[in-house]
Amino acid sequence: MNVTNLKHLEKLEMTLEGAKNVAKQVPISKDHGSPNFSLRVFTISPNGHTPFHSHPFEHLNYIIEGEGVIVSESGEERPVGKGDFALILPDEKHRYKNTSPTNAFVMICAVPKEYE
């Protein structure tokens, strides 16, 4: 068994090309003994966004705090906020964007452990 609190995890600034004002924490991963999944928590500061990206597997999101949009490859913006869940399908190009000028957008992202 492993119990982790976000308050005790370092926030690492995302340095991928196309990312702006995004930090990542990893409370559960293969390093913690998870046999199948990694849970990552992304904090996107006001006016921040992840890069456009895709991957060959689905991933699951839960919005912990704030408001934002998930942007599709065509530019469609799907609003999401605290309490929302999102499923991103394999190879679906997407980006997360914080739409608040003052508040953080925080979400959990679950992926196969091999991806972390």
Side-chain angles (χ1 to χ4, degrees):
M1 182 182 305
N2 186 320
V3 176
T4 305
N5 189 299
L6 282 178
K7 292 185 242 178
H8 304 296
L9 293 175
E10 181 180 12
K11 282 186 179 179
L12 301 172
E13 194 66 29
M14 236 178 139
T15 58
L16 291 173
E17 184 176 339
K20 178 182 174 188
N21 299 329
V22 181
K24 178 173 86 169
Q25 296 167 286
V26 184
I28 299 174
S29 72
K30 62 185 175 194
D31 294 342
H32 302 99
S34 180
N36 297 304
F37 299 99
S38 287
L39 289 181
R40 296 112 37 99
V41 176
F42 290 98
T43 300
I44 305 172
S45 296
N47 302 312
H49 55 77
T50 65
F52 268 112
H53 63 288
S54 65
H55 21 73
F57 50 83
E58 77 274 10
H59 68 100
L60 311 171
N61 301 121
Y62 176 72
I63 312 307
I64 300 172
E65 183 180 318
E67 296 178 353
V69 293
I70 303 173
V71 185
S72 71
E73 186 171 16
S74 69
E76 176 190 3
E77 295 188 352
R78 295 284 306 266
V80 290
K82 182 178 180 176
D84 286 339
F85 291 86
L87 167 64
I88 305 297
L89 297 174
D91 302 314
E92 187 174 12
K93 197 166 187 181
H94 59 285
R95 160 185 275 175
Y96 301 92
K97 184 169 72 171
N98 185 342
T99 55
S100 171
T102 57
N103 299 315
F105 175 73
V106 184
M107 68 173 185
I108 295 171
C109 178
V111 297
K113 69 173 173 130
E114 295 80 13
Y115 186 69
E116 183 51 50

